[in-house]
Amino acid sequence: MSMAINVWWLVTVVVVAVHSASAGVIVLKWEVEYKFWWPDCKEGIVMAINGKFPGPTIDAVAGDTVIIHVTNKLSTEGVVIHWHGIRQIGTPWADGAAGVTQCAITPGETFTYNFTVDKAGTHFYHGHYGMQRSAGLYGMLIVRSSKERLRYDGEFNLLLSDWWHQSTHTQELALSSRPMRWIGEPQSLLINGRGQFNCSLAAYLNKGGGVRQCTFQKDDQCAPETLRVEPNRVYRLRIASTTALASLNLAVEGHQLEVVEADGNYVAPFTVNDIDIYSGETYSVLLRTHPSPSKKYWISVGVRGRRPNTTQALTVLNYVDTPDSEGPTHPPPVTPRWDDYDRSKSFSKKFFAAKGYPPPPKKSDDQLILLNTQNLIDNHTKWAINNVSLSVPATPYLGSIRYGFKSAYELMKSPGKSFVKDYDIMKPPVNPNTTKGSGIYSFPAGIVVDVILQNANVLKGKISEIHPWHLHGHDFWVLGYGEGKFRPGIDEKTYNLENPPLRNTVALYPFGWTALRFVTDNPGVWFFHCHIEPHLHMGMGAVFAEGVDRIREMDIPNEALGCGLTMKWLMNRGRR
């Protein structure tokens, strides 16, 4: 029987939240500070947690309570941490989205995140204030199941990121300048925080190629971590992309990958030679080692979706009997062409929910079309959603809604189907100007909502980019993808309502649309945004407020709301 068939039965599941009487409590103390580091063999500045980059891996079991005391040791800026993939059911103030669910933690202060990891999966955490994720504030968050159905002999974490030699403060200023100064492509790609900018691990295979062979001293911070494996075993690779810009492709030379999990949800297994992974996505893949080789093989990560100006990141799959002095005997796998979007879409369309997952509701109660456009505000380049460029306020939305500060935000109305119908997505906008706004869409609790992400042309030329969209507080069903403009009343007939995958991040492809469905069953205020750091910085996002009446009854910790109008209200509360 093939491995694919075996795994199919192993991941047949019934999706339930884990509430075990033996659930544990994990208590951590973290200090966030800047450190000098050598992520790609060139010295730079990283955001470290307890002196480590990337930050420490959190290893929990579904049902555990996680308590993390985060102290801001930065001298001049705030900080928050978002627990990417954790739904924060009942604890929206612990979601870690500055200006949305909490105030930034000020220098010298400590904020305590206290939440339950309600279901198993491969997740990660990262900074969500300014562009601090791009500065290296991230780490893996693994939630295990006490009833794991996958069978494997070992596992490895692969946290993928991109790296610039410019500081994030310089990048933020450049993106906000008039006119905008584009930050360019990353200088390097990192695997578990390690990459090589000024040398190549594979230079010895291309003598005369003009690239220096990497040599490392003991404990070099840019030295790759080798994955040591034994023959005839099955390994689980837990992969997460926290890139600021780059879409990636990962391949293991000479080995196939069986995809079994996506964004913390099991999927019907399928086998591929490589995987595309967009910023914000996580996967588990199973890798079966060969019966008895004594070799080393490349693990390569290259850029997809943008014209690459960044070399591959490389590390090695090392069979245990291979002499340390030997390297792989073949060149690394070639990354697929960056603009082969048909290949990218084909990969996305391979995902279906594993057996046992409930299908989505057959009908929706509301439909929201979100048109992504690039625009101008007073000659500042911005991204906008339905002609509103998101500007996150000083008072967190969660606090404004909890205490009824209606002047602190403005609810958005669906622009109607004619808004998109009349917009030419294939050309630069006729009127490039847009406005700033709070971008809040409000939904009652317990309804089914369809969101249609619609892509369009940028300001100049005939260009449309890939945007990975991430929803906080929820998983959603990916109902389908389409080319060109979404056609209400027609394209709904193409939806997969039988076994669509559950995800929390999904790709929106150039000049196309993506449809997703979710249930407003988690009262709170939830960020929904492009996970590309510069795009969010320039306004590509919205906010979903759901179950507002329940938010007004929540006991939200004062520490989460100690800024803006909520700070003034809390200070004056005892004086009345």
Side-chain angles (χ1 to χ4, degrees):
M1 185 177 287
S2 71
M3 185 175 72
I5 296 175
N6 277 323
V7 173
W8 173 269
W9 290 107
L10 289 172
V11 298
T12 299
V13 295
V14 176
V15 183
V16 293
V18 175
H19 297 287
S20 170
S22 60
V25 178
I26 297 173
V27 181
L28 302 169
K29 292 184 178 181
W30 285 2
E31 293 185 347
V32 179
E33 61 184 334
Y34 283 111
K35 299 277 289 187
F36 286 111
W37 212 267
W38 295 71
D40 63 354
C41 303
K42 179 178 173 65
E43 189 179 58
I45 299 174
V46 302
M47 296 191 78
I49 297 175
N50 293 348
K52 296 183 179 298
F53 167 78
T57 295
I58 300 173
D59 204 317
V61 176
D64 283 354
T65 297
V66 178
I67 301 171
I68 305 182
H69 306 285
V70 177
T71 300
N72 180 1
K73 302 289 284 187
L74 310 174
S75 58
T76 59
E77 61 189 292
V79 71
V80 299
I81 296 179
H82 169 57
W83 317 97
H84 187 111
I86 305 301
R87 294 179 295 184
Q88 300 295 347
I89 296 173
T91 52
W93 52 85
D95 188 51
V100 177
T101 62
Q102 72 168 106
C103 304
I105 309 166
T106 56
E109 294 293 322
T110 298
F111 180 81
T112 298
Y113 292 96
N114 187 329
F115 55 90
T116 299
V117 289
D118 62 299
K119 68 184 185 69
T122 301
H123 309 295
F124 64 104
Y125 61 84
H126 60 80
H128 216 305
Y129 181 66
M131 291 177 61
Q132 291 179 343
R133 173 161 56 91
S134 186
L137 183 52
Y138 44 70
M140 295 290 285
L141 198 172
I142 307 302
V143 183
R144 304 184 185 279
S145 171
S146 59
K147 300 178 180 179
E148 179 63 74
R149 287 167 169 80
L150 294 175
R151 297 292 179 263
Y152 49 91
D153 301 296
E155 69 177 46
F156 299 96
N157 295 338
L158 296 176
L159 181 60
L160 311 180
S161 54
D162 44 11
W163 187 251
W164 278 258
H165 294 163
Q166 272 188 332
S167 72
T168 52
H169 301 111
T170 301
Q171 293 179 48
E172 289 175 0
L173 178 59
L175 294 168
S176 302
S177 294
R178 185 175 60 178
M180 177 193 70
R181 301 183 185 183
W182 178 237
I183 63 174
E185 303 304 308
Q187 273 68 64
S188 57
L189 303 177
L190 309 181
I191 302 174
N192 293 337
R194 296 165 179 260
Q196 297 81 43
F197 167 68
N198 53 4
C199 64
S200 171
L201 299 179
Y204 66 92
L205 294 168
N206 185 25
K207 295 180 179 179
V211 179
R212 182 172 63 87
Q213 179 66 38
C214 293
T215 56
F216 303 102
Q217 303 296 320
K218 184 180 179 181
D219 298 327
D220 274 358
Q221 294 169 339
C222 61
E225 293 179 344
T226 296
L227 277 60
R228 300 185 66 84
V229 297
E230 295 182 359
N232 204 29
R233 296 287 188 270
V234 176
Y235 292 89
R236 183 178 188 168
L237 307 184
R238 295 182 181 266
I239 308 165
S241 174
T242 184
T243 56
L245 176 64
S247 302
L248 302 175
N249 178 273
L250 181 144
V252 181
E253 179 200 357
H255 296 73
Q256 290 190 311
L257 306 173
E258 183 144 18
V259 182
V260 293
E261 178 210 348
D263 292 353
N265 295 287
Y266 291 116
V267 297
F270 62 93
T271 301
V272 289
N273 294 322
D274 54 79
I275 66 168
D276 284 342
I277 180 167
Y278 300 103
S279 178
E281 292 185 329
T282 66
Y283 292 115
S284 281
V285 301
L286 297 182
L287 179 148
R288 184 179 290 277
T289 56
H290 301 311
S292 57
S294 293
K295 292 185 65 176
K296 294 181 180 178
Y297 297 87
W298 295 113
I299 300 174
S300 66
V301 178
V303 173
R304 294 274 277 136
R306 301 183 60 84
R307 189 183 297 277
N309 193 27
T310 311
T311 57
Q312 287 179 324
L314 297 173
T315 190
V316 173
L317 187 75
N318 187 354
Y319 281 74
V320 292
D321 292 333
T322 309
D324 290 339
S325 59
E326 293 183 8
T329 56
H330 296 91
V334 176
T335 300
R337 183 177 168 85
W338 70 275
D339 58 353
D340 187 350
Y341 297 120
D342 288 340
R343 193 181 196 279
S344 303
K345 296 170 190 175
S346 175
F347 178 73
S348 292
K349 292 176 182 179
K350 293 180 184 293
F351 287 87
F352 300 96
K355 287 182 178 180
Y357 276 78
K362 294 298 182 183
K363 295 183 179 180
S364 64
D365 301 304
D366 197 0
Q367 183 188 76
L368 176 63
I369 300 178
L370 300 180
L371 175 65
N372 294 238
T373 57
Q374 193 177 51
N375 300 87
L376 295 173
I377 296 180
D378 193 24
N379 209 33
H380 293 274
T381 302
K382 296 290 183 180
W383 289 95
I385 303 301
N386 291 347
N387 208 36
V388 174
S389 184
L390 181 65
S391 179
V392 178
T395 304
Y397 292 131
L398 188 66
S400 295
I401 292 173
R402 166 66 178 82
Y403 294 108
F405 300 138
K406 295 184 178 180
S407 63
Y409 61 92
E410 180 181 359
L411 291 178
M412 303 295 298
K413 295 181 180 180
S414 177
K417 297 174 182 177
S418 62
F419 174 69
V420 176
K421 181 180 178 182
D422 297 335
Y423 192 95
D424 189 346
I425 66 168
M426 304 303 294
K427 297 179 181 179
V430 176
N431 178 4
N433 295 311
T434 189
T435 58
K436 292 182 180 180
S438 57
I440 294 185
Y441 294 88
S442 183
F443 301 105
I447 70 168
V448 180
V449 178
D450 282 0
V451 178
I452 314 300
L453 292 165
Q454 176 67 65
N455 216 339
N457 204 86
V458 299
L459 276 169
K460 297 179 181 179
K462 187 170 182 178
I463 302 171
S464 186
E465 300 183 17
I466 291 179
H467 302 290
W469 275 78
H470 171 59
L471 177 60
H472 294 214
H474 291 276
D475 289 335
F476 50 73
W477 291 277
V478 181
L479 302 183
Y481 306 85
E483 306 296 327
K485 191 179 295 185
F486 182 80
R487 300 167 296 172
I490 299 175
D491 286 322
E492 290 94 338
K493 297 176 183 178
T494 68
Y495 288 172
N496 174 13
L497 299 178
E498 300 301 320
N499 58 352
L502 274 172
R503 305 292 300 265
N504 61 54
T505 305
V506 68
L508 175 62
Y509 289 107
F511 297 113
W513 56 265
T514 298
L516 57 95
R517 178 170 291 178
F518 75 102
V519 180
T520 60
D521 56 2
N522 190 10
V525 183
W526 306 111
F527 228 152
F528 183 46
H529 61 88
C530 178
H531 211 259
I532 291 176
E533 197 87 299
H535 292 181
L536 176 57
H537 180 74
M538 297 160 67
M540 187 180 280
V543 178
F544 293 165
E546 63 185 81
V548 169
D549 291 343
R550 299 185 190 181
I551 295 174
R552 290 173 181 153
E553 299 172 355
M554 287 182 175
D555 184 17
I556 302 174
N558 292 343
E559 292 81 1
L561 304 175
C563 60
L565 296 177
T566 48
M567 177 187 67
K568 296 176 183 178
W569 188 91
L570 292 169
M571 290 176 62
N572 293 327
R573 182 172 52 179
R575 301 177 185 175
R576 296 176 182 175

Short mmCIF file of all heavy atoms in Angstrom, two decimals, residues 49-87:
data_model
loop_
_atom_site.label_atom_id
_atom_site.label_comp_id
_atom_site.label_asym_id
_atom_site.label_seq_id
_atom_site.Cartn_x
_atom_site.Cartn_y
_atom_site.Cartn_z
N ILE A 49 14.13 37.87 21.22
CA ILE A 49 13.37 37.54 22.43
C ILE A 49 14.28 36.76 23.35
O ILE A 49 14.82 35.71 22.98
CB ILE A 49 12.12 36.72 22.08
CG1 ILE A 49 11.17 37.54 21.20
CG2 ILE A 49 11.40 36.26 23.36
CD1 ILE A 49 9.95 36.76 20.72
N ASN A 50 14.48 37.30 24.54
CA ASN A 50 15.41 36.70 25.51
C ASN A 50 16.76 36.44 24.87
O ASN A 50 17.42 35.41 25.12
CB ASN A 50 14.83 35.40 26.08
CG ASN A 50 13.60 35.64 26.94
OD1 ASN A 50 13.29 36.79 27.30
ND2 ASN A 50 12.87 34.58 27.26
N GLY A 51 17.19 37.37 24.03
CA GLY A 51 18.50 37.30 23.41
C GLY A 51 18.60 36.34 22.26
O GLY A 51 19.71 36.11 21.75
N LYS A 52 17.48 35.78 21.78
CA LYS A 52 17.52 34.79 20.71
C LYS A 52 16.81 35.30 19.46
O LYS A 52 15.78 35.99 19.54
CB LYS A 52 16.88 33.48 21.17
CG LYS A 52 17.61 32.80 22.31
CD LYS A 52 16.95 31.47 22.66
CE LYS A 52 17.69 30.76 23.79
NZ LYS A 52 19.08 30.43 23.43
N PHE A 53 17.36 34.93 18.31
CA PHE A 53 16.74 35.19 17.01
C PHE A 53 16.88 33.93 16.16
O PHE A 53 17.99 33.40 16.04
CB PHE A 53 17.42 36.37 16.30
CG PHE A 53 17.02 36.45 14.84
CD1 PHE A 53 15.79 36.97 14.47
CD2 PHE A 53 17.88 35.99 13.84
CE1 PHE A 53 15.42 37.02 13.13
CE2 PHE A 53 17.51 36.05 12.51
CZ PHE A 53 16.28 36.57 12.15
N PRO A 54 15.76 33.45 15.54
CA PRO A 54 14.38 33.82 15.85
C PRO A 54 14.04 33.54 17.31
O PRO A 54 14.81 32.92 18.04
CB PRO A 54 13.57 32.92 14.91
CG PRO A 54 14.51 32.50 13.83
CD PRO A 54 15.84 32.40 14.52
N GLY A 55 12.84 33.99 17.69
CA GLY A 55 12.40 33.79 19.06
C GLY A 55 12.21 32.33 19.39
O GLY A 55 12.18 31.46 18.51
N PRO A 56 12.06 32.00 20.68
CA PRO A 56 11.94 30.60 21.11
C PRO A 56 10.67 29.94 20.56
O PRO A 56 9.65 30.60 20.39
CB PRO A 56 11.89 30.69 22.64
CG PRO A 56 11.45 32.09 22.92
CD PRO A 56 11.99 32.93 21.82
N THR A 57 10.76 28.66 20.27
CA THR A 57 9.60 27.90 19.82
C THR A 57 8.70 27.58 21.01
O THR A 57 9.17 27.13 22.06
CB THR A 57 10.04 26.59 19.15
OG1 THR A 57 10.77 26.90 17.96
CG2 THR A 57 8.84 25.73 18.78
N ILE A 58 7.41 27.85 20.85
CA ILE A 58 6.42 27.46 21.85
C ILE A 58 5.90 26.08 21.46
O ILE A 58 5.46 25.87 20.32
CB ILE A 58 5.26 28.47 21.91
CG1 ILE A 58 5.77 29.86 22.28
CG2 ILE A 58 4.19 28.01 22.90
CD1 ILE A 58 4.71 30.94 22.20
N ASP A 59 5.94 25.16 22.38
CA ASP A 59 5.49 23.79 22.13
C ASP A 59 4.39 23.46 23.13
O ASP A 59 4.66 23.31 24.33
CB ASP A 59 6.67 22.81 22.27
CG ASP A 59 6.45 21.53 21.49
OD1 ASP A 59 5.33 21.00 21.54
OD2 ASP A 59 7.41 21.06 20.83
N ALA A 60 3.14 23.39 22.63
CA ALA A 60 1.99 23.20 23.51
C ALA A 60 1.15 22.04 23.02
O ALA A 60 1.38 21.47 21.96
CB ALA A 60 1.16 24.48 23.55
N VAL A 61 0.15 21.68 23.83
CA VAL A 61 -0.83 20.65 23.48
C VAL A 61 -2.20 21.33 23.44
O VAL A 61 -2.49 22.22 24.26
CB VAL A 61 -0.82 19.50 24.50
CG1 VAL A 61 -1.91 18.48 24.20
CG2 VAL A 61 0.55 18.83 24.53
N ALA A 62 -3.02 20.93 22.46
CA ALA A 62 -4.34 21.53 22.33
C ALA A 62 -5.09 21.48 23.65
O ALA A 62 -5.15 20.45 24.32
CB ALA A 62 -5.12 20.82 21.24
N GLY A 63 -5.65 22.61 24.05
CA GLY A 63 -6.32 22.74 25.33
C GLY A 63 -5.49 23.43 26.38
O GLY A 63 -6.02 23.87 27.41
N ASP A 64 -4.19 23.55 26.14
CA ASP A 64 -3.31 24.23 27.11
C ASP A 64 -3.64 25.72 27.21
O ASP A 64 -4.06 26.35 26.23
CB ASP A 64 -1.84 24.09 26.70
CG ASP A 64 -1.26 22.72 27.00
OD1 ASP A 64 -1.95 21.91 27.63
OD2 ASP A 64 -0.10 22.48 26.59
N THR A 65 -3.41 26.26 28.38
CA THR A 65 -3.42 27.71 28.59
C THR A 65 -1.99 28.22 28.46
O THR A 65 -1.08 27.66 29.08
CB THR A 65 -3.98 28.07 29.97
OG1 THR A 65 -5.35 27.64 30.04
CG2 THR A 65 -3.92 29.57 30.22
N VAL A 66 -1.82 29.26 27.66
CA VAL A 66 -0.50 29.85 27.46
C VAL A 66 -0.49 31.24 28.08
O VAL A 66 -1.34 32.08 27.73
CB VAL A 66 -0.15 29.92 25.96
CG1 VAL A 66 1.21 30.58 25.76
CG2 VAL A 66 -0.15 28.52 25.34
N ILE A 67 0.42 31.47 28.98
CA ILE A 67 0.55 32.77 29.65
C ILE A 67 1.96 33.29 29.36
O ILE A 67 2.95 32.66 29.76
CB ILE A 67 0.33 32.65 31.16
CG1 ILE A 67 -1.07 32.08 31.45
CG2 ILE A 67 0.51 34.00 31.84
CD1 ILE A 67 -1.31 31.73 32.91
N ILE A 68 2.05 34.41 28.68
CA ILE A 68 3.36 34.95 28.31
C ILE A 68 3.45 36.41 28.77
O ILE A 68 2.66 37.26 28.32
CB ILE A 68 3.60 34.85 26.79
CG1 ILE A 68 3.41 33.41 26.31
CG2 ILE A 68 4.99 35.36 26.43
CD1 ILE A 68 3.68 33.19 24.85
N HIS A 69 4.37 36.66 29.65
CA HIS A 69 4.62 38.02 30.13
C HIS A 69 5.67 38.66 29.21
O HIS A 69 6.84 38.28 29.24
CB HIS A 69 5.14 37.98 31.57
CG HIS A 69 4.26 37.21 32.52
ND1 HIS A 69 3.06 37.70 32.99
CD2 HIS A 69 4.41 35.97 33.08
CE1 HIS A 69 2.51 36.81 33.81
NE2 HIS A 69 3.31 35.75 33.87
N VAL A 70 5.23 39.60 28.40
CA VAL A 70 6.12 40.23 27.41
C VAL A 70 6.55 41.59 27.92
O VAL A 70 5.71 42.49 28.13
CB VAL A 70 5.42 40.37 26.04
CG1 VAL A 70 6.33 41.09 25.05
CG2 VAL A 70 5.02 39.00 25.49
N THR A 71 7.85 41.75 28.12
CA THR A 71 8.41 43.03 28.55
C THR A 71 9.09 43.70 27.39
O THR A 71 9.91 43.10 26.68
CB THR A 71 9.43 42.81 29.69
OG1 THR A 71 8.77 42.19 30.80
CG2 THR A 71 10.02 44.15 30.14
N ASN A 72 8.73 44.95 27.16
CA ASN A 72 9.31 45.74 26.08
C ASN A 72 10.61 46.38 26.55
O ASN A 72 10.60 47.33 27.34
CB ASN A 72 8.31 46.82 25.64
CG ASN A 72 8.83 47.68 24.50
OD1 ASN A 72 9.94 47.48 24.02
ND2 ASN A 72 8.03 48.64 24.07
N LYS A 73 11.73 45.86 26.05
CA LYS A 73 13.04 46.42 26.39
C LYS A 73 13.57 47.35 25.30
O LYS A 73 14.73 47.75 25.33
CB LYS A 73 14.04 45.28 26.63
CG LYS A 73 13.62 44.30 27.72
CD LYS A 73 13.72 44.89 29.10
CE LYS A 73 15.16 44.97 29.57
NZ LYS A 73 15.27 45.39 30.98
N LEU A 74 12.70 47.68 24.32
CA LEU A 74 13.08 48.66 23.30
C LEU A 74 13.07 50.04 23.95
O LEU A 74 12.23 50.33 24.81
CB LEU A 74 12.10 48.61 22.12
CG LEU A 74 11.81 47.22 21.53
CD1 LEU A 74 10.72 47.32 20.48
CD2 LEU A 74 13.07 46.61 20.95
N SER A 75 13.94 50.89 23.51
CA SER A 75 14.05 52.19 24.20
C SER A 75 13.13 53.25 23.65
O SER A 75 12.78 54.21 24.35
CB SER A 75 15.50 52.68 24.14
OG SER A 75 15.92 52.81 22.78
N THR A 76 12.68 53.11 22.39
CA THR A 76 11.97 54.24 21.77
C THR A 76 10.68 53.85 21.05
O THR A 76 10.07 54.70 20.41
CB THR A 76 12.87 54.95 20.74
OG1 THR A 76 13.27 54.01 19.73
CG2 THR A 76 14.09 55.55 21.41
N GLU A 77 10.24 52.59 21.14
CA GLU A 77 9.04 52.22 20.38
C GLU A 77 8.25 51.14 21.11
O GLU A 77 8.79 50.39 21.93
CB GLU A 77 9.41 51.73 18.99
CG GLU A 77 10.32 50.51 18.97
CD GLU A 77 10.85 50.20 17.58
OE1 GLU A 77 10.03 49.81 16.72
OE2 GLU A 77 12.07 50.34 17.36
N GLY A 78 6.96 51.07 20.79
CA GLY A 78 6.09 50.06 21.35
C GLY A 78 6.27 48.72 20.66
O GLY A 78 6.99 48.59 19.66
N VAL A 79 5.56 47.72 21.18
CA VAL A 79 5.64 46.38 20.61
C VAL A 79 4.38 45.61 20.96
O VAL A 79 3.75 45.85 22.01
CB VAL A 79 6.90 45.63 21.13
CG1 VAL A 79 6.75 45.25 22.58
CG2 VAL A 79 7.21 44.39 20.29
N VAL A 80 3.94 44.73 20.08
CA VAL A 80 2.90 43.73 20.38
C VAL A 80 3.30 42.44 19.67
O VAL A 80 4.14 42.45 18.75
CB VAL A 80 1.49 44.15 19.90
CG1 VAL A 80 1.03 45.43 20.58
CG2 VAL A 80 1.44 44.30 18.38
N ILE A 81 2.69 41.33 20.07
CA ILE A 81 2.94 40.05 19.41
C ILE A 81 1.61 39.39 19.07
O ILE A 81 0.73 39.26 19.92
CB ILE A 81 3.80 39.12 20.29
CG1 ILE A 81 5.19 39.74 20.52
CG2 ILE A 81 3.94 37.74 19.64
CD1 ILE A 81 6.12 38.93 21.38
N HIS A 82 1.48 39.00 17.81
CA HIS A 82 0.29 38.31 17.31
C HIS A 82 0.55 36.82 17.24
O HIS A 82 1.59 36.39 16.73
CB HIS A 82 -0.07 38.86 15.92
CG HIS A 82 -1.12 38.05 15.21
ND1 HIS A 82 -2.36 37.81 15.76
CD2 HIS A 82 -1.11 37.43 13.99
CE1 HIS A 82 -3.06 37.07 14.91
NE2 HIS A 82 -2.33 36.83 13.84
N TRP A 83 -0.40 36.04 17.71
CA TRP A 83 -0.29 34.58 17.76
C TRP A 83 -1.03 34.03 16.54
O TRP A 83 -2.21 33.71 16.58
CB TRP A 83 -0.84 34.07 19.09
CG TRP A 83 -0.36 34.97 20.20
CD1 TRP A 83 -1.03 36.01 20.77
CD2 TRP A 83 0.95 34.96 20.80
NE1 TRP A 83 -0.24 36.64 21.71
CE2 TRP A 83 0.98 36.01 21.75
CE3 TRP A 83 2.08 34.16 20.63
CZ2 TRP A 83 2.11 36.29 22.53
CZ3 TRP A 83 3.20 34.44 21.41
CH2 TRP A 83 3.20 35.47 22.34
N HIS A 84 -0.30 33.96 15.44
CA HIS A 84 -0.85 33.72 14.12
C HIS A 84 -1.42 32.30 14.02
O HIS A 84 -0.70 31.32 14.16
CB HIS A 84 0.26 33.92 13.09
CG HIS A 84 -0.17 33.88 11.67
ND1 HIS A 84 -0.17 34.99 10.86
CD2 HIS A 84 -0.61 32.87 10.89
CE1 HIS A 84 -0.58 34.66 9.66
NE2 HIS A 84 -0.86 33.37 9.65
N GLY A 85 -2.73 32.21 13.76
CA GLY A 85 -3.41 30.93 13.67
C GLY A 85 -4.18 30.55 14.91
O GLY A 85 -5.00 29.62 14.86
N ILE A 86 -3.95 31.24 16.02
CA ILE A 86 -4.70 30.99 17.25
C ILE A 86 -5.96 31.85 17.21
O ILE A 86 -5.88 33.07 17.06
CB ILE A 86 -3.86 31.31 18.50
CG1 ILE A 86 -2.53 30.53 18.47
CG2 ILE A 86 -4.64 31.01 19.76
CD1 ILE A 86 -2.68 29.03 18.40
N ARG A 87 -7.12 31.24 17.38
CA ARG A 87 -8.38 31.95 17.13
C ARG A 87 -8.80 32.88 18.26
O ARG A 87 -9.69 33.72 18.07
CB ARG A 87 -9.49 30.93 16.82
CG ARG A 87 -9.23 30.18 15.51
CD ARG A 87 -10.31 29.16 15.21
NE ARG A 87 -10.34 28.08 16.19
CZ ARG A 87 -11.16 27.04 16.10
NH1 ARG A 87 -12.01 26.95 15.10
NH2 ARG A 87 -11.12 26.09 17.02
#
